[in-house]
Amino acid sequence: MRPSLSLSLSLSLSLRPRLSLRPRLSLRPSLSLRERVRAMFYHAYEHYLESAFPYDELRPLTCDGQDTWGSFSLTLIDALDTLLILGNVSEFQRVVSVLQEGVDFDIDVNASVFETNIRVVGGLLSAHLLSKKAGVEVEVGWPCSGPLLRMAEEAARKLLPAFQTPTGMPYGTVNLLHGVNPGETPVTCTAGIGTFIVEFATLSHLTGDPVFEDVARKALKALWKNRSDIGLVGNHIDVITAKWVAQDAGIGAGVDSYFEYLVKGAILLQDKELMSMFLEYNKAIKNYTKFDDWYLWVQMYKGTVSMPVFQSLEAYWPGLQSLIGDVDNAMRTFLNYYTVWKQFGGLPEFYNIPQGYTVDKREGYPLRPELIESAMYLYRATRDPTLLELGRDAVESIEKISKVDCGFATIKDLRDHRLDNRMESFFLAETVKYLYLLFDPDNFIHNDGSVFDVVITPYGECVLNAGGYVFNTEAHPIDPAALHCCRKRKEEQWEVEDLMREFYSLKKNKKFTLQRAADHGEGERAKDPEDAPSEKGGEKRNFKKSSHSLLSCPSQSFNSKLAVLGQVFLDNT
Amino acid sequence: MTSVSSLIRVLLPKVQVLKEDEAREEIQRNHSSCRAKDVTMPAKLPVNFFSTRSPVIDLFRGQLDYADHLRQDSEIVLYFFYAPWCGQSIAAREEIERVASRLSDQVLFVAVNCWWNQGKCRKQKHFFYFPVIHLYHRSFGPIEYKGPMSAVYIEKFVRRVMTPLLYISSRSKLLDFLSNYEPGVLGYFEFNASPQPPGYLTFFTSALHSLKKDYLGTIRFGVITDKHVAEEISLVRSGSVYLHRHVNTSLIYPNDIMNYTAENICKWALENREMLIRWLRPHGGKSLLLNNELKKGPALLIFIPYNPLAEIHPLLDEITKVALEYHNCNKSQAAEPDLQHLGDTDSPAFDSSVPDAHMKLSETFSITKYPCCNTVVLPQWHSISRTHNVCELCINQTLGVKPNKVHVPHCNFLEIEAALDSFYLQEHTFFQVISNTIECSNFLSFYSPFSYYTACCRTVNRHFLSFISSEKTIFQTPKVAFSSHGKKGNTQHSIPHIEDRNCFIPDLHITGTNITGLSCRTNKTLNLYLLDSNLFWIYAERLGASRSTHLKEFAAIVDLKEEVHYVLDQNRSLVGSTLENFIKNFSILYSPLKRHLVDDPSVHFHEQRVITEVTTNTFHDTVFLSEKNVLLLYYAQWCGFCASLNHIFIQLARLLPPDNFTVARIDTTRNDLPWEFMTDRLPTILFFPHQRKEQSVKFPEDFSVNLPNLLKFILHHSSLSSSEPCTKECLHKETVLQQGHISHLEREIQKLRSEISALHQAHDQLEAQLSEARREEHRLQQQKHALEKQHKTLQLHSEQLQATYDQKNQELLEMAEKLQELADASENLLKENTLLRILVASREGRLQSKDEIKESLQSEQTLSEDNDVSVSTATATLEVKRIDNIDTIETEHSSGNRTE
């Protein structure tokens, strides 16, 4: 069976028109690549529905399904918003109704708190927020109520027992029916503690129940408090005793989305505190782990290099940097990572930098999205054709190496391109989505605010879908405007109304004093953390020194005009 | 960032790892115990990468040994090492095929799959990227090709490898060779003496060797075989090697100092070559090329479409000439002696520049009489520009009281600015329709009675007028210019005689300097670079080249240190003279060049747009000329903090009265602005109040950006004149305001109405849900009742069952008792049996004795027979009874089992 398959593949390849490099990737090839990505999606998606649904994942080599992270038809939930991004409204609607009927969280399953949050809660939230755009008939209270939101809330509530620890840092695993199992290990990875704020804050803002945001913040604060003297966090921590179990500090596996959510939380909530935390970490990361635009692993207390490796999961970092305006550094690091892709046709889980080769037992590439994700963000910032080239390489590699009759298989070993019988749900949720968005600059996700929707809710008028979507770490987009829709306090509305009256009167009798950022919306927050006074003080001082808002990006420098096609510029300092 | 489990296994202590693995396996077992575990699939077998009809030999199984074997057959071999999954290899495949189809008769093209792990190639070579192209010239090699993956460039390189040496057989060929802009190395070898003159092979190898080092092939190698030709460049001895240089003196390879080896010759040529003008060819990977080159100082980047295979490059020749002139510092020394005595025909372009120079010289003379002069390029919208567009403005202090005769060495910038001010006031003096003549006028200084200004204006280039911007700006802008003349506020910078980008850079012939040797005379020396616009047009676009032009020619001066760049007007054809003027204008003091501001041409105005999108071009109009208060947001699409504010600004724009307020924004990544309007952080919010546009205020950064804060900020800074006593006008204003307010309130009411309807709907929905819930409750109640009933019946049933159970149990007990009785009975019987046996035995004994008695008492025989029969029947019955007994015991046993 296999030889005949490869034969048919080669035939189809030779028939397909090739892109030439001259002129370099311009608009037209990117359109044809976009369509190839679309075809990739449907190849995998249809086989999942056919052979694997309602299991969590498709097993592409044996053409069947298996449950992996629970039993929630995970791939379907994860791929839902990708359907809309590809423009398939009817299938989106169908899946929404299927999920409403079919998914049950009252099951006796031990589920990862982290994975359930990012894939299930995140997927349902974004589907909920996009459902109106997809033509689903929504309730009157939308976006503050709706069946998908209720499902997301239900799923999130199942995770809450994990947060009941002395430190507020959650357990890694929870039983959806019985809560935390007795004898559950208290060791959780850093990312498993700090990757909740985006979903949980959104949930709190939409439902009005602050418990989600509160536990997420408490966990973030606990991590912040336990950072080392040199400002780094380790890899795994005991959530009961707050002792670091694995003391390797880096930006990749085990830590990655913690940093990501500090930034994205700051953006989503306009929260200076989260951003100041990230900037402190960023400083330490640059000081101790960055070498020649690579980021290594160091001992969290001493700062000595413990592993000179690059991990596939670290490739999200350039994208994150571009969100806060550090585009030059982002591009330099990205180009390093791209060389690894060119060497293997994928990113090995671990890549030993000095040796220039994979690390034993870590040669796999489960079709991860991180490098493509960074390419998408960077392409927004630079429009550099190199980024489209990475996209092209990714499409070619994935099609040539991992495409099988039933879908796309994880690459078990990048050295010989052996395949494994697995297709992770993030392939459809993230990899395909980011690839498609890279080649589709006019997608609604890239909306720069020039179009928007106005929704009348029982809470008042609401501007939605004005762009600026914040992707959670499983690539589920959250509309930041939606957070201001539901909990919109009446005082603010009255205040606005009063102010508007001033615009129409001739006499100005009031002095207008602006609200400090710290006073706004963070009142309840500022009280709870034990170390708040000192932190706040420190923050204020920094503030004065840097004299610019933490919630801003630097403008791009002059030489960024020429920093394309691999050209990088050194700082003038 | 997603997989926690993988990282757990990586970084946790061993124990933990094991635990996790076990847990995972357990899960696997739970969910897929019956399915196959650990199914993997080897990679697909390699297949043809090139089509079988291709002139390229495709060794898709990586047969490197065979590839080496093939090399023996051909003088020139090109190896294309690829990986079948690699996008770059796939893209380059077509280019290689194109080259192969043109050169297949002379060059052997071999493609090797260097990825397949069973193949020899993969086992022996270790590449970090694909494709890799290696060339062999007989045994010499590999020479790696690192240039652009484009057919023409590859073909050029292959041809270079085929013939690394050019044969210079005549004077004219020598001239051709020497006049090229790229450095050339010549060797003179006397072939008359021997077919292989000493040193020739080394020289040949050095030519090949240079291709290894310098893959762009910028150093050309030539060989002279004719004695007379060699004499032209004063080479006498066979075996001497000569490096030609245009500006500096040419060199002869120092045999006595350096060993005569291929490497050394190559190194020597690379070190000593002249780089008057350099090709920049970024390879696409991470590189500091531009960083290193541009940090050397201001650079002139010239973009031209370049075909490496073309025989002649007229444009390139012209540019070369400019570059030569520019670098030719020792005119007296005759930098090109050999060229001059050889060179009979210089290009006409060179000739034409000579009269120009004369003209310039005379002008310089007239200008230098004034102590301080500046050239002013008039913005098109000035009325004067209809006749003139360039003026020489000089400050002349000698007319007045002559306070002292101190010679001012150079102009004071403030003076020039003051002069400009006065000049704009006086410009009506030129309001005559005269062109092509120089017209001068004197006028008194605005600030000092002791000095006066002279302005001489003329039209430099009439076709400029065709680029005057739209009618609207012509009429609007002067008004602003005059309205602000009285103040010395900083807004004057914005009066765009310096920064106005509508005004194209003219080629001014006023400097009086010739370009010859300019590089040594100016302190703003330019480095000259060429870029192939077929490959690197994106850099031109980044610098502001228009995307619509068909002709991809462009020139820009980039000054990285000053963070400015200037561009040559794209509407002018890129020829030597325009380029010369461009360079000159850059070099002179008070350069007329204006910092080029790149703007975004792709802004599409959406109908729904409530926020005005500002670009470089519309900035001035929208912000300064509009009669409204303007709130301007500086943003960038990639900046997360900007994008998440979109909805707030949309709300604000919908809220503010549109007659008085504009909410605008500018994407600073794609739109340059004059320095004074640049910001270093994004987002930045500026407010330009109506009537005081120059007093813009910035939204304080440490306040959160939300609707109430923005409204307060605007209210605070937009003074809608309040303190004045109320006049009719004021009343009118008030009514207008009130009307605005009314309409605002009406909108508000509309909103509230829709809110009410939404609430009603929500209410209805809730009602429906409630009633449904009630129905549900009712249903449940009913169900509960039914269930209770069922429960009762079930209970009854169970009671009955219990009763029957008890009964049965009783019966069973009885049975057991009976059985027990039976067992006892059988035991008794057994006992009886044994008793009987004993009895029988005793009876037998007695019988025997009786027999004996019988024998003795023969006579009594008949009587004893009766007795015998009765005894035998008795034993038989006893036997039967015993068997019965065993049976019953057995049945008892089995029934006992059952009851257990």
Side-chain angles (χ1 to χ4, degrees), chain B residues 535-558:
Chain B
L535 299 170
F536 306 114
W537 187 243
I538 185 167
Y539 293 113
E541 280 181 0
R542 290 304 177 99
L543 294 170
S546 112
R547 272 153 231 244
S548 52
T549 50
H550 301 293
L551 202 60
K552 286 189 168 179
E553 288 173 2
F554 182 73
I557 292 173
V558 176

Coordinates of all heavy atoms in Angstrom, one line a residue, chain B residues 535-558:
Chain B
L535 N 16.1 41.3 -8.2 CA 16.1 40.5 -7.0 C 15.8 41.3 -5.7 O 15.3 40.8 -4.8 CB 17.5 39.9 -6.9 CG 18.0 39.0 -8.0 CD1 19.4 38.6 -7.8 CD2 17.1 37.7 -8.0
F536 N 16.2 42.6 -5.8 CA 16.2 43.3 -4.5 C 15.3 44.6 -4.6 O 15.6 45.5 -3.9 CB 17.6 43.6 -4.0 CG 18.5 42.4 -4.0 CD1 19.6 42.2 -4.8 CD2 18.2 41.4 -3.1 CE1 20.3 41.1 -4.8 CE2 19.0 40.3 -3.0 CZ 20.1 40.1 -3.8
W537 N 14.3 44.5 -5.4 CA 13.5 45.7 -5.5 C 12.8 46.1 -4.2 O 12.4 47.2 -4.0 CB 12.4 45.5 -6.6 CG 11.6 46.7 -7.0 CD1 10.3 46.8 -6.8 CD2 12.1 47.9 -7.5 NE1 9.9 48.1 -7.2 CE2 11.0 48.7 -7.7 CE3 13.4 48.4 -7.9 CZ2 11.1 50.0 -8.2 CZ3 13.5 49.7 -8.4 CH2 12.4 50.5 -8.5
I538 N 12.7 45.1 -3.3 CA 12.0 45.4 -2.1 C 12.7 46.4 -1.3 O 12.0 47.3 -0.6 CB 11.8 44.1 -1.2 CG1 11.0 44.4 0.0 CG2 13.1 43.5 -0.9 CD1 10.5 43.2 0.7
Y539 N 14.0 46.5 -1.4 CA 14.7 47.6 -0.6 C 14.3 48.9 -1.2 O 14.2 49.9 -0.5 CB 16.2 47.4 -0.7 CG 16.7 46.1 0.0 CD1 17.2 45.1 -0.7 CD2 16.6 46.1 1.4 CE1 17.7 43.9 0.0 CE2 17.1 45.0 2.1 CZ 17.6 43.9 1.4 OH 18.0 42.8 2.0
A540 N 14.2 49.0 -2.5 CA 13.8 50.2 -3.2 C 12.4 50.6 -2.7 O 12.2 51.8 -2.4 CB 13.9 50.1 -4.7
E541 N 11.5 49.6 -2.7 CA 10.2 50.0 -2.2 C 10.2 50.5 -0.8 O 9.5 51.4 -0.4 CB 9.3 48.7 -2.3 CG 8.8 48.5 -3.7 CD 7.9 47.2 -3.8 OE1 7.7 46.6 -2.7 OE2 7.4 46.9 -4.9
R542 N 11.1 49.9 0.0 CA 11.1 50.3 1.4 C 11.6 51.8 1.5 O 11.3 52.5 2.4 CB 12.1 49.5 2.2 CG 11.7 48.1 2.4 CD 10.3 48.2 3.1 NE 9.8 46.9 3.4 CZ 9.9 46.2 4.5 NH1 10.5 46.8 5.5 NH2 9.3 45.1 4.7
L543 N 12.4 52.2 0.5 CA 12.9 53.5 0.5 C 12.0 54.5 -0.2 O 12.3 55.7 -0.3 CB 14.3 53.6 -0.1 CG 15.4 52.8 0.7 CD1 16.7 52.7 -0.1 CD2 15.6 53.5 2.0
G544 N 10.9 54.0 -0.7 CA 9.9 54.9 -1.2 C 9.8 54.8 -2.7 O 9.1 55.7 -3.3
A545 N 10.4 53.8 -3.4 CA 10.2 53.7 -4.8 C 8.7 53.4 -5.1 O 8.1 52.6 -4.3 CB 11.1 52.6 -5.3
S546 N 8.2 53.9 -6.1 CA 6.8 53.7 -6.4 C 6.6 52.3 -6.9 O 7.5 51.7 -7.6 CB 6.3 54.7 -7.4 OG 6.0 54.0 -8.6
R547 N 5.5 51.7 -6.4 CA 5.3 50.3 -6.8 C 4.7 50.1 -8.2 O 4.7 49.1 -8.8 CB 4.3 49.7 -5.8 CG 4.9 49.1 -4.6 CD 4.0 49.2 -3.4 NE 4.6 49.8 -2.2 CZ 4.8 49.2 -1.1 NH1 4.5 48.0 -0.9 NH2 5.4 49.9 -0.1
S548 N 4.3 51.2 -8.7 CA 3.6 51.1 -10.0 C 4.5 51.2 -11.2 O 4.1 50.8 -12.3 CB 2.5 52.2 -10.1 OG 3.1 53.5 -9.8
T549 N 5.7 51.8 -11.0 CA 6.5 52.0 -12.2 C 6.9 50.7 -12.9 O 7.1 49.7 -12.2 CB 7.8 52.8 -11.9 OG1 8.4 52.1 -10.8 CG2 7.5 54.2 -11.6
H550 N 7.0 50.7 -14.2 CA 7.4 49.5 -14.9 C 8.9 49.4 -14.9 O 9.4 48.3 -14.8 CB 6.9 49.6 -16.4 CG 5.4 49.7 -16.4 ND1 4.5 48.7 -16.0 CD2 4.6 50.7 -16.8 CE1 3.3 49.1 -16.2 NE2 3.3 50.3 -16.7
L551 N 9.5 50.5 -15.0 CA 11.0 50.5 -15.1 C 11.5 50.5 -13.6 O 11.2 51.3 -12.8 CB 11.4 51.9 -15.7 CG 12.8 51.8 -16.3 CD1 12.9 50.8 -17.4 CD2 13.1 53.2 -16.9
K552 N 12.2 49.4 -13.4 CA 12.7 49.2 -12.0 C 14.0 49.9 -11.8 O 15.1 49.2 -11.7 CB 12.7 47.8 -11.7 CG 11.3 47.2 -11.4 CD 11.4 45.8 -10.9 CE 10.1 45.3 -10.4 NZ 10.1 44.0 -9.9
E553 N 14.1 51.2 -11.9 CA 15.3 51.9 -11.7 C 15.1 52.9 -10.6 O 14.0 53.6 -10.5 CB 15.7 52.7 -13.0 CG 16.2 51.7 -14.1 CD 16.4 52.5 -15.4 OE1 16.3 53.7 -15.4 OE2 16.8 51.8 -16.4
F554 N 16.1 53.0 -9.7 CA 15.8 53.8 -8.6 C 17.2 54.1 -7.9 O 18.1 53.3 -8.0 CB 15.0 53.0 -7.6 CG 14.6 53.8 -6.3 CD1 13.7 54.8 -6.3 CD2 15.2 53.4 -5.1 CE1 13.4 55.5 -5.2 CE2 14.9 54.1 -3.9 CZ 14.0 55.1 -4.0
A555 N 17.3 55.3 -7.4 CA 18.5 55.6 -6.7 C 18.2 56.4 -5.4 O 17.3 57.2 -5.4 CB 19.4 56.5 -7.5
A556 N 18.9 56.0 -4.3 CA 18.6 56.7 -3.1 C 19.9 56.8 -2.3 O 20.8 56.0 -2.4 CB 17.7 55.9 -2.2
I557 N 20.1 57.9 -1.6 CA 21.2 58.0 -0.7 C 20.7 57.8 0.7 O 19.7 58.4 1.2 CB 21.8 59.5 -0.8 CG1 22.4 59.7 -2.2 CG2 22.8 59.7 0.3 CD1 22.9 61.1 -2.5
V558 N 21.4 56.8 1.4 CA 21.0 56.5 2.7 C 22.1 56.9 3.7 O 23.2 56.5 3.5 CB 20.7 54.9 2.8 CG1 20.4 54.5 4.2 CG2 19.7 54.5 1.8

